[in-house]
Amino acid sequence: SIKRFVSALLTGARINGYAMDDGEVEQGLICVAAPVRDASGRVIAAVSIAGPDYRMEQDMEMMIHEIRQAAERISYTHGFFR
């Protein structure tokens, strides 16, 4: 069911620290997003990057690393410390 599918995606995002849309919304477009948290750990925003698959796939590991780092730095300014 769609509910189980979405639940599995959210669980994966929590475990990995990011979520990715690999062409599910728009064919040929990849988006990676990471959560921004406040001092209590609540997600208050997200940072994302999107681009055409032929560009994103070349440096996917670096993109994931950078988007997670950016979200962590912003979270830090909101009082979230790991």
Side-chain angles (χ1 to χ4, degrees), residues 37-41 72-82:
R37 300 177 184 278
D38 66 10
S40 70
E72 286 179 18
R73 286 192 299 272
I74 296 166
S75 296
Y76 184 84
T77 67
H78 288 280
F80 181 72
F81 308 102
R82 275 186 152 194

Side-chain angles (χ1 to χ4, degrees), residues 10-76:
L10 291 172
T11 298
R14 279 188 209 99
I15 291 168
N16 297 322
Y18 70 94
M20 184 166 69
D21 171 4
D22 192 1
E24 289 92 357
V25 173
E26 180 73 34
Q27 187 175 6
L29 182 69
I30 295 176
C31 177
V32 179
V36 173
R37 300 177 184 278
D38 66 10
S40 70
R42 185 175 61 104
V43 175
I44 57 170
V47 177
S48 68
I49 186 168
D53 55 7
Y54 67 89
R55 282 197 191 149
M56 297 287 286
E57 289 171 346
Q58 293 175 19
D59 296 314
M60 186 58 67
E61 292 299 319
M62 184 268 301
M63 302 247 186
I64 291 169
H65 174 77
E66 291 297 325
I67 208 69
R68 289 180 68 197
Q69 289 294 311
E72 286 179 18
R73 286 192 299 272
I74 296 166
S75 296
Y76 184 84

